[in-house]
Amino acid sequence: MTLDPTLLPGDPASLSPIALFQQADLVVKAVMIGLLAASIWSWAIILAAGAKLRRAGGESDRLEREFWKAQDIDRFFDRHGEAEIPAARILAAGIREWRRSTAGPVIDREGVRARLATLMNSACAAEIDRLSARLNVLATIGSVAPFVGLFGTVWGIMRSFTAIASAQNTSLAVVAPGIAEALFATAIGLFAAIPAVIAYNRLSHGIDRLEARLLRFADAFHATLSRELDADR
């Protein structure tokens, strides 16, 4: 049995990604370029945010271990209080408030405890906000990119129907290029969205774990300072 050559698409090379982009009209090209740019942007955020989160977690963990081994909190703070580390910033917020609150002749112990808790929790929240600053971009790309690709798909299919009407020919040779361009736009949309969604979930989980660890450190340090207040009474 032989196949009718009019039912076959053209040269497979004409359906390569580069050829599909070159054959697409301006609207579909704009969609493809926008999705590729979004994909590059999301990967840049993924790599930068992942490295920053790993560095922050590792440095905070080392600082906490060293802190609990230290014999003199003031000396430890003088050495590490200015470090660009989340745990160090929480430590600095607690120590500075402790020094301000206990400098006078009269100490309001309950007020000191409340201020210490508030400032250290605020420092923790500020660090988490700094680490998660660009995650909303990943969430946006992950949710919007498939719909942008779908728009390119719909436009490409409309163009295919227009080509069928103009050529008055329903063979695959006429229909395939436009449909291939349409599906290629969808593929690029998924290529941009899937890594962004996966990375957003993983990074959010990592940030949540780091936040829980920093809050535990803040609570433990608050308890240490609270015992110091009781000892001074």
Side-chain angles (χ1 to χ4, degrees), residues 25 28 151-161 177-179 181-182:
D25 67 354
V28 179
F151 170 75
T153 298
V154 172
W155 189 272
I157 291 175
M158 290 171 56
R159 184 167 174 260
S160 296
F161 286 137
I179 294 179
E181 295 166 15

Side-chain angles (χ1 to χ4, degrees), residues 124-181:
C124 179
E127 291 304 305
I128 296 304
D129 288 342
R130 184 177 62 85
L131 290 172
S132 59
R134 295 188 177 182
L135 293 189
N136 61 326
V137 177
L138 294 181
T140 301
I141 292 174
S143 59
V144 172
F147 294 101
V148 176
L150 182 61
F151 170 75
T153 298
V154 172
W155 189 272
I157 291 175
M158 290 171 56
R159 184 167 174 260
S160 296
F161 286 137
T162 302
I164 291 173
S166 300
Q168 297 183 352
N169 187 350
T170 59
S171 69
L172 288 178
V174 175
V175 178
I179 294 179
E181 295 166 15

Side-chain angles (χ1 to χ4, degrees), residues 1-137:
M1 181 178 66
T2 60
L3 295 176
D4 185 353
T6 62
L7 297 178
L8 297 174
D11 185 359
S14 65
L15 299 181
S16 67
I18 295 176
L20 290 175
F21 175 78
Q22 292 174 341
Q23 295 167 8
D25 67 354
L26 291 178
V27 174
V28 179
K29 282 182 179 178
V31 169
M32 292 178 181
I33 292 172
L35 291 173
L36 286 174
S39 178
I40 294 171
W41 190 14
S42 68
W43 276 107
I45 293 173
I46 290 168
L47 296 176
K52 184 166 63 174
L53 180 60
R54 286 192 299 271
R55 184 170 60 253
E59 291 175 346
S60 294
D61 185 57
R62 286 193 297 272
L63 185 135
E64 288 179 40
R65 289 199 303 267
E66 293 176 8
F67 173 76
W68 294 120
K69 294 177 182 177
Q71 300 298 321
D72 190 330
I73 293 178
D74 288 324
R75 181 180 297 178
F76 182 87
F77 171 71
D78 292 337
R79 290 200 310 266
H80 303 285
E82 299 300 326
E84 300 293 324
I85 301 172
R89 290 193 174 100
I90 294 172
L91 175 67
I95 290 292
R96 286 167 182 155
E97 179 56 33
W98 168 268
R99 290 177 176 177
R100 286 192 297 267
S101 297
T102 58
V106 179
I107 300 175
D108 179 8
R109 288 175 172 81
E110 292 305 317
V112 172
R113 289 187 177 96
R115 288 192 295 273
L116 287 171
T118 299
L119 287 175
M120 287 193 289
N121 287 336
S122 296
C124 179
E127 291 304 305
I128 296 304
D129 288 342
R130 184 177 62 85
L131 290 172
S132 59
R134 295 188 177 182
L135 293 189
N136 61 326
V137 177

